Amino acid sequence: MPGGDAREAAKTVTGSLERLPYLPELPARGPGADMIGRTAGLLVEVYAHVEPSGWRISDRPGRDTRRARSWLGEDLDALEEFTQGYEGALKVSAVGPWTLAAALELRNGEAALSDPGACRDLTASLAEGLRGHLADVRRRVPGARIVLQLDEPSLTAVLRGSVKTASGYRTHRAVDRAVVEGALRDIIGAAGAAGTGAASGAQEGGTPVVVHSCAPDVPFALLRRAGAAGIACDFSLITERDDEAIGEAVEGGTTLFAGVVPGTDGPLSDPAGSVMGVRTLWRRLGLNPGTLSESVVITPACGLAGASPDYARKVLAHCVRAAGSLADNPE
C-alpha cells in the first residue's frame, strides 16, 4: 500500500475488503519496511543490514533489523485494532525463499543464491520465522483463518539462470527445479504445520499458502507440486502457452488469484470489463463457468505501493465489484 501511516492503511484495507483483508506493507517508510527488509526481520538466527547495494547478511542484529521488526509490530498493532471480533480469511505476506536468496547478499557481495548452503540456511530460517509470525497474527486476531502469501517475483529468473551477479556482467546459474520445488515445499509445509494442533483454534486445517509472481512464465505445475493452495499472477502476462498448466491447476483445486486491475494510477474499466479476460480463459479451457466464483480471486496486478492513496482505495473497491460481477454473471 502507498504512504506510511499504518493505521490508515489497516483502516482502508479492512474497510474495503470484508472477505479477504490483509496485513498491509508500507515500503515508502524506507529500508526495513520494503518487502526484503520486512522478511529479513522475520528470519531466525540470520540477520541483515542495509548496504548501498542492498540488503546484506550480518553476524548479529543491528539497527536495520530492529527497525524492520519495529515497523512490522506497528503494522500488526494497527491490524489488530481494526479486526476486533473479525472472523474469516486474513492474508499476510512474506518474501519466498528464492526471491530472498536472489536479493540478500553474502558478505562477499554476491547473492545468497550463489551458495547452495546459504540457500538451505535461509529456507530453514524463514520457515522458523514464519511459524512465529503466523502464531503472533493468530494471537492478535484469534477468529481469523490465516492465508500466507509468498511473494516470488524472482522465481522465474532463478529457474532460468538470469539473476545477475554483483558485477552485472554474468548471471548465476539456474537452480535445479527439484531444488526450487523442495525449498518451497519446506516453507509451505512449515506454514501448514504452524496452523495445526489444539492450540490453533480456527486454524486446525493448517495455513493455506498462495505463491505470488508478477513475472512472465509462472511455473504453475511446479508450484502445485510444492503444495501451493493458490497461485497469484499478473493476468496480463498469461498466454495460451499457460492454458494447460492453469487448467490442470484449477481442476486440481488450486485457486487462481487473477491480477486483472492495474496497480498504478490510471483509468479503471467497468467491473465487468475487468474480468472479461477471466471469462474468456474459462471458455478457452472448457471449464464450468459456475466454478469461477469458487476458483478465482480478483486482485490488483501487483502491489499498490506505487499508486496514490486515492487510487489504491478505488482499486480495492473495484476488485470487490469485479469479483461480484464474475460471481453474478459467470457466462
Side-chain angles (χ1 to χ4, degrees):
M1 291 289 284
D5 187 328
R7 290 187 74 256
E8 183 61 30
K11 181 180 179 181
T12 297
V13 167
T14 55
S16 301
L17 305 173
E18 295 182 0
R19 297 186 63 182
L20 187 59
Y22 57 87
L23 175 65
E25 296 179 0
L26 302 172
R29 291 179 298 195
D34 61 297
M35 58 185 257
I36 299 299
R38 185 182 181 97
T39 300
L42 292 174
L43 298 176
V44 174
E45 297 183 359
V46 174
Y47 313 105
H49 67 278
V50 177
E51 292 280 343
S53 54
W55 285 88
R56 182 170 296 182
I57 293 174
S58 308
D59 293 324
R60 60 184 65 85
R63 179 182 60 187
D64 297 324
T65 297
R66 290 192 294 271
R67 184 190 297 121
R69 292 174 176 174
S70 175
W71 271 329
L72 177 58
E74 182 181 312
D75 295 338
L76 286 166
D77 288 344
L79 181 72
E80 183 177 3
E81 177 183 350
F82 289 100
T83 51
Q84 293 296 309
Y86 175 73
E87 295 184 354
L90 175 68
K91 185 166 72 70
V92 299
S93 301
V95 174
W98 294 108
T99 296
L100 197 63
L104 279 182
E105 299 175 354
L106 301 173
R107 293 172 183 84
N108 64 4
E110 287 294 350
L113 186 66
S114 64
D115 184 335
C119 291
R120 288 192 294 272
D121 290 345
L122 272 180
T123 299
S125 176
L126 178 61
E128 189 63 31
L130 285 172
R131 288 190 190 99
H133 179 47
L134 295 173
D136 187 20
V137 176
R138 284 190 201 97
R139 284 192 296 269
R140 291 169 177 269
V141 194
R145 300 189 307 275
I146 308 299
V147 176
L148 173 64
Q149 176 174 305
L150 293 178
D151 289 315
E152 283 282 18
S154 299
L155 183 58
T156 299
V158 168
L159 290 167
R160 287 179 174 174
S162 58
V163 176
K164 290 188 179 297
T165 59
S167 69
Y169 296 116
R170 296 185 297 109
T171 58
H172 295 288
R173 68 175 59 185
V175 179
D176 185 89
R177 296 180 76 88
V179 174
V180 170
E181 182 182 324
L184 287 166
R185 186 181 298 112
D186 288 347
I187 298 294
I188 291 170
T196 58
S200 62
Q203 289 293 324
E204 290 179 3
T207 301
V209 176
V210 177
V211 180
H212 172 249
S213 175
C214 49
D217 298 325
V218 175
F220 288 94
L222 184 153
L223 295 176
R224 280 185 60 222
R225 291 194 303 270
I231 300 173
C233 61
D234 180 342
F235 196 78
S236 69
L237 299 178
I238 287 178
T239 69
E240 292 190 15
R241 292 179 304 176
D242 300 308
D243 280 6
E244 182 178 352
I246 293 174
E248 290 177 354
V250 171
E251 289 184 326
T254 305
T255 302
L256 178 65
F257 284 63
V260 300
V261 184
T264 53
D265 290 45
L268 292 171
S269 70
D270 66 285
S274 291
V275 293
M276 187 182 303
V278 180
R279 291 192 182 96
T280 300
L281 173 66
W282 241 241
R283 285 195 295 270
R284 204 163 69 223
L285 296 177
L287 297 172
N288 179 3
T291 65
L292 273 168
S293 62
E294 300 172 358
S295 302
V296 176
V297 176
I298 299 303
T299 75
C302 203
L304 296 170
S308 67
D310 183 58
Y311 180 78
R313 286 190 291 270
K314 288 179 180 177
V315 164
L316 296 181
H318 186 86
C319 286
V320 172
R321 290 194 296 270
S325 171
L326 199 63
D328 294 341
N329 301 292
E331 299 285 356

